[in-house]
């Protein structure tokens, strides 16, 4: 189908090569750090041996205020506290006091006004962390308190936005709805989500000579940390190096919002000349950093007697918090996924980005997409209830055709495999037999109700900000034949480093143990994109392959001269290089190449082909391809208490041709459970004063092992590979499977719908016991 | 300040620390064993689990002085030379980890769980007793698999005793 240029001239090893011919790519190798992880030997920021005289930094805020003018800041007692070496405020910023990833509006330290509860006003650096924490509580900050807008509805009443509204239109939706045999609609709410990366936000800044700064940072975006640190410190980018070996989880929470902490550490290091470390206390972390956007969704749809949609008119009201941060892209992606896998013959998809006086919501695995797909599934579920049809039947009737349909943003859907994928899951999950069992159970149980749902996922792959779809990699072959690889992608547990190393090993025909994985650093590969949008292996794998391929071609020429064969006939495999009847060890060839003065280092560069997007006119092809999946979930709901148990989960997901099935299955299982948490137990509660009341895992319920069903089946869909020319025809896997959890919400909806056929359960997400009970009561009331 | 002495991973250690120093801070800062992690600061996530006299303890919920004179095992002390403990080996083989931050605490909890239940350890028990350890990456499936597999393997030689 789609064909992109082959920039490295690697046609012989193109992704369509028989998978059986691959030696390293496609194997379920264990995570490269696994042996270190199980021994506690893998260093995170807080584990790095501290340089002598390292200071400990703690941020301070105004605990009583969520919004208002700052009348006075008295830090005398903070400065006088034991062990305190420095206290910094906005007045101490030598450069620009802003750490926004986009259009500004994110002061490192509050200036003039408090914009949300928990906003950093100052930072205190002391000899010990305990001293700094105690000192931070001694600040006296007077604020002329104003009533904050906390919720979406508050912001709508006040009419405040961080960014202008945006809209997709397809066809004439008003006419389509007017002509519909049936119209449905309503309002429902989708909650936010705390990332709860196990390793909290952390950074260690080490000052160098000439004002240079090295920042060890737990970030998905080292380049942004580098550039913003430079901007805030008033330095050129080249004076700052940002480095990240690994994160203890990211999930989007360290895409833009790791920067502020790195910047604060660097400011302290700059001001004191001493190394400075910051590691946020978990409560501070949860109060001070943004979350997944929560939404109010107002919608209307038309359908025919068979449940086929005629048109969809939907408005997404997203709570962005006090600043824009990444809200443009996040809310756009909600719109891009408001269709999920369904063809909307006519549509208006409207989006407002609301400003509230709360922490700035940010990237979170799926980047707004999950909220869009939850809406699409709600429409399907409601049609099914209204018509008395099975929800899966309604879903299948509305799927995009295998080819030929067009999304509400004008992109043709050309690679649609959802029909085959869902058919397979329907079979392997035994859907129809279990549907009858669920009906029988519900007929004989008045209080306990079972629900069953099979939902699809279609997720667009590429950054919708087109310029981010580029990547660099640096590959060195040393004269002993050992190989070093570096690239712009970061490791947060997903196994990106290993996948890229597998690609490089494959290219050179050597074992994975020969490839040295190194920490991501802006000093080796510059101007990188965040490791986000599921794009890590697509982009960096390709860049590394291009770099390795170039070196291999030069080494092949050396071997060709040695063997007296054409370079095209030289083969790299099993750690050796073959030509004619002769062969040479890879290391020996590297040595020969060095002696022959052949360059054994290369910087590879890749940019995704074919994609283009004109945002003002909402036209183009923003995605290189779509990733697909489906899930089937069965739940039991206690309609007297609201308690819910997930009984069984079947996941079937499309990763194209997997680079590493063990890593991919891990991503799918983990994403599903994280999505299940978002849609069931994880509830962020802000009080009317704008304070987050659920700022620790004691009150914010993250799934534990006992929340996950023992009967949990995961399989990779055998698709024959991505139709777009991706790295070894694999597909991105980080985000798409999070939306497999939509089947949990739909199963709960299905269970509640059994209370009174024909009535739509008024269920919001997350479906906490409280939300389930509320919906159950409504189902029973007259 | 108090001089706190204990045996850590078979080695006698001693350090002068503030009276209120938590065991986790003693391990991480006073004797530089950073494999024990701090995740939530409030004794809920389980990243800091170590063994004190053979029992799993969240080291952020215990004072160092309370462990004085005790024998403490941390994740660094589990392997025998180059040979991983069966639970460590199982976590590696079954991909029971992603970002790895929760892994040390998970493994220390699992070792204690297997010690207490021996051959009686079943999946429901593993899932129930793992409630004090949060993993945000894996969805627990492979962690549970790893623990059950390790328990089975450890049971084999034990049966001969």
């Amino acid at each position: 189908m789609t064909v992109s240029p082959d920039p490295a001239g690697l046609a012989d090893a193109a992704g369509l090569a028989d998978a059986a011919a691959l030696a390293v790519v496609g194997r379920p190798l264990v995570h490269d750090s696994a042996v270190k992880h199980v021994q506690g030997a893998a260093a995170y920021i807080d584990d790095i041996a501290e340089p002598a005289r390292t200071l400990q930094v703690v941020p301070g805020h105004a605990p009583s205020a969520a919004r208002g003018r700052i009348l006075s800041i008295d830090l005398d007692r903070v400065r006088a506290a034991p062990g305190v070496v420095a206290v910094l405020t906005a007045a101490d910023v030598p450069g620009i006091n802003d750490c926004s990833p986009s259009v500004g509006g994110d002061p490192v330290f509050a200036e003039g006004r408090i914009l949300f509860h928990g906003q950093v006003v100052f930072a205190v650096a002391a000899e010990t962390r305990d001293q700094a924490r105690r000192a931070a509580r001694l600040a006296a900050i007077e604020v002329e308190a104003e009533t904050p807008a906390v919720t979406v509805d508050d912001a709508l009443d006040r009419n405040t936005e961080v960014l202008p509204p945006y809209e997709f239109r397809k066809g004439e939706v008003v006419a389509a709805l007017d002509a519909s045999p049936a119209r449905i609609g309503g309002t429902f709410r989708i909650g936010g989500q705390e990332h709860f990366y196990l390793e909290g936000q952390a950074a260690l800044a080490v000052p160098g000579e000439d004002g240079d700064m090295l920042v060890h940072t737990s970030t998905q975006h080292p380049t942004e940390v580098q550039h913003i640190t430079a901007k805030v410190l008033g330095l050129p980018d080249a004076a700052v190096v940002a480095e990240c070996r690994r994160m203890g989880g990211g999930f989007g929470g360290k895409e833009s919002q790791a920067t502020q902490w790195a910047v604060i550490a660097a400011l302290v290091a700059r001001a004191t000349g001493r190394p400075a470390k910051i590691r946020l206390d978990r409560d501070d972390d949860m109060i001070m950093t943004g979350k997944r956007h929560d939404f109010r969704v107002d919608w209307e749809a038309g359908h025919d007697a068979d449940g086929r949609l005629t048109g969809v008119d939907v408005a997404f009201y997203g709570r962005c918090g006090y600043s824009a941060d990444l809200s443009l892209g996040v809310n756009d992606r909600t719109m891009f996924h408001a269709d999920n896998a369904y063809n909307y013959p006519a549509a208006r998809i409207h989006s407002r980005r609301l400003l509230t006086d709360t922490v700035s919501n940010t990237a979170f695995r799926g980047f707004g997409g999950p909220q869009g797909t939850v809406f699409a599934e709600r429409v399907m579920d409601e049609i099914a209830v209204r018509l008395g049809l099975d929800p899966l039947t309604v879903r299948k009737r509305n799927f995009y055709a295998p080819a030929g349909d067009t999304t509400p943003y004008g992109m043709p859907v050309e690679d649609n495999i959802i029909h085959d994928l869902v058919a397979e899951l329907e079979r392997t999950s035994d859907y129809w037999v279990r549907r009858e069992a669920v009906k029988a159970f519900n007929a004989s149980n008045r209080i306990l109700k079972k629900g069953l749902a099979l939902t699809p996922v279609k997720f667009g792959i590429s950054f919708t900000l087109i310029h981010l779809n580029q990547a660099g990699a640096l590959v060195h072959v040393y004269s002993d034949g050992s190989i070093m690889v570096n690239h712009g992608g970061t490791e947060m547990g997903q196994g990106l480093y290993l996948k890229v190393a597998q690609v490089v090993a494959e290219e050179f025909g050597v074992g994975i143990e020969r490839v040295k994985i190194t920490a991501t650093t802006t000093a080796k590969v510059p101007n990188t994109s965040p490791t986000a949008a599921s794009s890590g292996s697509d982009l960096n794998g390709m860049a590394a392959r291009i770099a390795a391929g170039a070196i291999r071609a030069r080494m092949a020429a050396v071997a060709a001269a040695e063997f007296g064969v054409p370079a095209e006939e030289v083969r790299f495999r099993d750690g050796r290089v073959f030509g004619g009847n002769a062969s040479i060890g890879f290391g020996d060839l590297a040595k020969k190449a060095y002696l022959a003065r052949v360059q054994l280092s290369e910087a590879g560069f890749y940019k995704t082909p074919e994609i283009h997007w004109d945002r003002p006119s909402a036209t183009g092809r923003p995605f290189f391809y779509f990733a697909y999946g489906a899930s089937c979930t069965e739940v039991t709901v206690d309609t007297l208490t609201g308690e819910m148990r997930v009984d069984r989960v079947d996941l079937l997901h499309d990763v194209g041709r997997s680079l590493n099935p063990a890593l991919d299955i891990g991503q799918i299982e983990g994403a599903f459970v994280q999505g299940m948490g978002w849609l069931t137990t994880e509830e962020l509660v802000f009080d009317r004063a704008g304070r987050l009341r659920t700022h620790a895992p004691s009150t914010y319920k993250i799934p534990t092992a006992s929340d996950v069903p023992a009967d949990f089946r995961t399989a990779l869909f055998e698709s024959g590979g991505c139709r777009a020319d991706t790295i070894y025809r694999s597909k991105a896997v980080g985000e798409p499977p999070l939306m497999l959890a939509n089947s949990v919400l739909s199963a709960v909806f299905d269970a509640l719908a059994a209370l009174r056929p024909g009535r739509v359960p008024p269920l919001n997400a997350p479906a906490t016991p409280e939300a389930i009970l509320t919906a159950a009561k409504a189902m029973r009331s007259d | 300040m108090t001089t706190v002495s204990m045996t850590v991973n078979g080695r006698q250690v001693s350090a002068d620390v503030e009276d209120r120093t938590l065991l986790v801070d003693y391990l991480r800062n006073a004797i530089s064993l950073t494999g024990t992690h701090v995740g939530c600061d409030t004794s809920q996530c389980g990243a800091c689990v170590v063994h004190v006299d053979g029992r799993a303890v969240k080291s952020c919920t215990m004072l160092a002085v309370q462990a004085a004179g005790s024998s403490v095992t941390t994740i660094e002390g589990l392997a025998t030379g180059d040979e991983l403990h069966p639970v460590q080996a199982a976590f590696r083989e079954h991909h029971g980890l992603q970002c790895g931050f929760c892994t040390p605490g998970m493994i220390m909890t699992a070792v204690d769980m297997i010690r207490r239940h021996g051959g009686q350890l079943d999946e429901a028990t593993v899932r129930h007793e793992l409630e004090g350890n949060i993993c945000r990456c894996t969805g627990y499936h492979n962690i549970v698999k790893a623990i059950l597999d390790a328990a089975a393997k450890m049971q084999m030689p034990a049966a001969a005793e």
Side-chain angles (χ1 to χ4, degrees):
Chain A
M1 197 194 77
T2 51
V3 179
S4 67
D6 189 8
L10 305 172
D12 64 322
L16 282 176
D18 183 7
L22 299 175
V24 185
V25 163
R27 289 181 52 205
L29 303 179
V30 296
H31 194 282
D32 53 283
S33 288
V35 169
K36 283 177 282 188
H37 286 321
V38 300
Q39 298 184 91
Y44 303 84
I45 297 295
D46 201 25
D47 305 335
I48 296 171
E50 289 177 12
R53 304 179 72 235
T54 296
L55 291 169
Q56 307 297 325
V57 185
V58 167
H61 69 285
S64 63
R67 170 188 160 94
R69 195 161 62 88
I70 299 172
L71 299 174
S72 66
I73 302 174
D74 180 356
L75 301 173
D76 289 349
R77 291 182 65 211
V78 182
R79 288 196 177 87
V84 170
V85 172
V87 180
L88 303 185
T89 67
D92 302 301
V93 172
I96 295 165
N97 180 28
D98 189 89
C99 57
S100 165
S102 55
V103 295
D106 293 296
V108 179
F109 298 118
E111 217 168 344
R113 290 183 63 79
I114 295 292
L115 303 171
F116 72 98
H117 180 253
Q119 185 181 10
V120 178
V121 179
F122 65 96
V124 51
E127 300 292 347
T128 72
R129 189 162 180 270
D130 190 62
Q131 289 170 337
R133 286 189 69 196
R134 287 171 193 281
R137 293 176 178 243
L138 302 175
I141 301 166
E142 232 187 318
V143 179
E144 189 175 50
E146 299 165 19
T147 305
V150 181
T151 63
V152 161
D153 291 344
D154 291 345
L156 284 171
D157 286 346
R158 203 176 63 179
N159 197 25
T160 51
E161 297 172 320
V162 295
L163 292 160
Y166 188 44
E167 194 166 281
F168 295 156
R169 280 175 180 275
K170 177 184 176 187
E172 297 299 327
V173 73
V174 174
L177 291 179
D178 285 344
S180 281
R183 291 172 76 148
I184 56 173
T187 292
F188 76 105
R189 291 167 199 278
I190 304 169
Q193 187 176 25
E194 159 65 30
H195 303 82
F196 208 84
Y197 24 65
L198 257 282
E199 179 210 27
Q201 302 278 358
L204 169 65
V206 183
E209 57 189 57
D210 302 326
D212 293 355
M213 193 64 65
L214 167 63
V215 188
H216 298 277
T217 163
S218 182
T219 181
Q220 295 170 240
H221 200 347
T223 285
E224 194 162 274
V225 168
Q226 177 205 16
H227 291 180
I228 293 179
T229 300
K231 185 178 81 173
V232 178
L233 266 58
L235 296 170
D237 292 347
V240 178
V241 172
E243 178 169 321
C244 178
R245 173 59 184 83
R246 65 173 61 78
M247 283 164 272
F251 314 117
K254 296 173 182 172
E255 180 173 347
S256 67
Q257 300 207 4
T259 306
Q260 184 175 13
W261 321 109
V263 165
I264 288 173
L267 281 167
V268 170
R270 161 86 168 230
T272 62
R274 295 171 61 173
K277 182 161 84 179
I278 188 167
R279 173 180 79 75
L280 291 192
D281 178 82
R282 181 60 66 172
D283 297 82
D284 285 350
D285 194 313
M286 289 182 76
I287 289 167
M288 293 175 174
T289 65
K291 296 150 201 338
R292 188 187 291 285
H293 291 62
D294 56 278
F295 278 86
R296 180 177 122 186
V297 186
D298 292 1
W299 64 282
E300 196 177 6
H303 62 83
D304 66 16
D306 295 327
R308 283 190 182 79
L309 284 166
T310 54
V312 172
D313 188 357
V314 57
F316 291 98
Y317 301 110
R319 181 165 73 148
C320 300
Y322 78 92
S323 73
D325 184 77
L326 301 172
S327 285
L328 185 140
V330 168
N331 287 272
D332 281 8
R333 196 166 270 270
T334 302
M335 299 166 66
F336 282 120
H337 292 84
D339 58 344
N340 194 13
Y342 308 112
N343 185 40
Y344 295 171
R348 185 183 78 109
I349 295 167
H350 186 75
S351 162
R352 289 190 66 188
R353 295 95 202 270
L354 297 159
L355 188 156
T356 50
D357 304 311
T358 52
V359 66
S360 194
N361 285 331
T362 191
F364 195 140
R365 202 175 198 171
F367 206 69
Q371 294 93 321
T373 64
V374 162
F375 159 70
E377 298 311 325
R378 175 55 54 91
V379 175
M380 294 299 127
D381 285 331
E382 287 213 22
I383 293 173
V385 167
R386 304 266 183 192
L387 294 179
L389 293 170
D390 189 275
L392 179 57
T393 303
V394 175
R395 289 189 163 91
K396 287 162 73 175
R397 284 178 184 165
N398 284 289
F399 281 160
Y400 279 113
D405 284 336
T406 303
T407 65
Y409 47 92
M411 176 172 163
V413 181
E414 295 164 327
D415 61 2
N416 185 12
I417 56 172
I418 201 67
H419 297 265
D420 290 346
L421 195 153
V422 162
E424 184 175 327
L425 185 64
E426 216 175 321
R427 193 169 61 248
T428 56
S429 69
D430 224 4
Y431 179 86
W432 294 106
V433 172
R434 289 166 66 202
R435 170 58 72 193
E436 291 310 312
V438 164
K439 280 183 186 164
F441 180 94
N442 288 341
S444 57
N445 287 276
R446 206 166 57 84
I447 303 302
L448 296 182
K449 293 291 176 190
K450 274 187 174 287
L452 181 68
L454 195 162
T455 59
V457 173
K458 164 181 139 287
F459 195 74
I461 303 299
S462 291
F463 287 100
T464 57
L465 203 54
I466 295 299
H467 76 261
L468 294 178
N469 296 287
Q470 58 173 309
L474 181 65
V475 176
H476 301 325
V477 174
Y478 293 94
S479 57
D480 68 346
S482 63
I483 300 161
M484 189 220 75
V485 60
N486 196 273
H487 52 82
T490 55
E491 177 65 37
M492 57 195 107
Q494 81 278 44
L496 172 63
Y497 278 9
L498 176 57
K499 282 185 173 179
V500 175
Q502 285 179 272
V503 167
V504 170
E506 191 68 52
E507 207 59 36
F508 287 118
V510 300
I512 191 78
E513 67 287 345
R514 203 190 281 261
V515 181
K516 179 67 187 170
I517 289 168
T518 54
T520 310
T521 167
T522 56
K524 282 183 180 159
V525 178
N527 307 322
T528 56
S529 296
T531 305
S534 307
S535 68
S537 54
D538 278 17
L539 296 175
N540 296 290
M542 210 54 125
R545 184 165 174 222
I546 289 164
I551 299 171
R552 190 190 63 172
R554 294 197 285 267
M555 291 177 75
V558 174
E562 183 81 8
F563 298 148
V565 299
E568 309 85 72
E569 290 176 19
V570 174
R571 292 287 175 269
F572 291 69
R573 63 179 158 85
D574 303 330
R576 299 190 68 78
V577 181
F578 298 82
N581 292 324
S583 78
I584 183 172
F586 182 82
D588 293 334
L589 179 60
K591 183 76 180 217
K592 276 188 190 295
Y594 165 71
L595 292 172
R597 297 190 293 176
V598 169
Q599 186 192 358
L600 292 174
S601 175
E602 185 73 20
F605 180 80
Y606 174 74
K607 54 182 177 181
T608 312
E610 297 186 43
I611 50 174
H612 54 97
W613 176 245
D614 182 55
R615 192 170 182 275
S617 66
T619 54
R621 176 201 167 133
F623 302 119
F624 192 31
Y625 62 92
F626 293 103
Y628 297 88
S631 63
C632 181
T633 296
E634 182 175 329
V635 302
T636 306
V637 170
D638 183 332
T639 59
L640 271 193
T641 65
E643 288 167 287
M644 185 275 288
R645 187 183 66 218
V646 179
D647 299 316
R648 175 175 162 184
V649 173
D650 293 66
L651 308 180
L652 182 62
H653 198 76
D654 157 40
V655 296
R657 189 171 290 159
S658 177
L659 292 173
N660 182 323
L663 293 176
D664 285 348
I665 286 173
Q667 285 297 296
I668 293 164
E669 290 172 350
F672 173 85
V673 171
Q674 196 170 63
M676 182 182 84
W678 168 51
L679 292 172
T680 58
T681 62
E682 297 182 34
E683 185 176 28
L684 294 162
V685 178
F686 287 82
D687 65 18
R688 290 305 304 158
R691 295 173 300 183
L692 176 67
R693 305 320 302 252
T694 50
H695 50 78
S698 53
T699 45
Y700 183 79
K701 170 70 176 117
I702 292 153
T704 60
S706 60
D707 298 311
V708 180
D711 195 350
F712 187 1
R713 312 175 192 199
T714 306
L716 301 178
F717 181 65
E718 299 290 340
S719 70
C722 185
R723 294 185 200 170
D725 188 9
T726 52
I727 184 75
Y728 288 101
R729 300 285 170 177
S730 64
K731 284 193 180 185
V733 71
E735 295 164 294
L738 185 122
M739 286 152 276
L740 296 174
N742 291 349
S743 62
V744 182
L745 186 65
S746 285
V748 173
F749 182 98
D750 187 55
L752 289 167
L755 283 171
R756 188 181 289 191
R759 181 180 280 200
V760 174
L763 182 67
N764 289 318
T768 59
E770 191 180 346
I772 291 172
L773 192 58
T774 303
K777 278 186 176 164
M779 291 297 281
R780 288 202 170 98
S781 68
D782 294 322
Chain B
M1 298 289 265
T2 303
T3 302
V4 177
S5 305
M6 61 185 82
T7 305
V8 178
N9 301 332
R11 191 168 58 93
Q12 190 63 33
V13 297
S14 189
D16 293 332
V17 294
E18 272 195 77
D19 300 2
R20 62 188 170 207
T21 300
L22 296 169
L23 178 57
V24 68
D25 292 329
Y26 181 89
L27 295 170
R28 289 181 54 83
N29 300 333
I31 63 169
S32 300
L33 289 177
T34 56
T36 302
H37 295 146
V38 178
C40 70
D41 297 283
T42 48
S43 304
Q44 294 157 77
C45 78
C48 66
V49 172
V50 300
H51 294 174
V52 178
D53 296 325
R55 289 166 186 277
V57 169
K58 288 181 175 174
S59 62
C60 77
T61 206
M62 184 177 193
L63 295 170
V65 290
Q66 290 178 289
S70 292
S71 176
V72 174
T73 305
T74 71
I75 190 71
E76 290 95 339
L78 215 49
T80 311
D82 286 344
E83 194 186 338
L84 295 178
H85 183 281
V87 177
Q88 291 176 309
F91 268 68
R92 178 184 177 277
E93 289 314 311
H94 292 277
H95 308 278
L97 56 90
Q98 285 179 30
C99 87
F101 200 84
C102 75
T103 310
M106 283 282 176
I107 289 176
M108 298 312 283
T109 296
V111 170
D112 182 60
M113 198 189 297
I114 293 168
R115 177 188 64 77
R116 284 183 290 105
H117 293 279
Q120 309 304 310
L121 192 60
D122 59 20
E123 179 164 349
T125 305
V126 173
R127 288 186 181 275
H128 177 67
E129 295 206 359
L130 224 47
E131 280 183 357
N133 290 74
I134 293 174
C135 170
R136 195 53 154 163
C137 297
T138 65
Y140 304 100
H141 195 66
N142 290 342
I143 290 174
V144 173
K145 255 200 293 191
I147 295 173
L148 289 171
D149 183 46
K153 284 183 175 143
M154 289 167 72
Q155 195 57 25
M156 283 188 280
E161 284 173 10

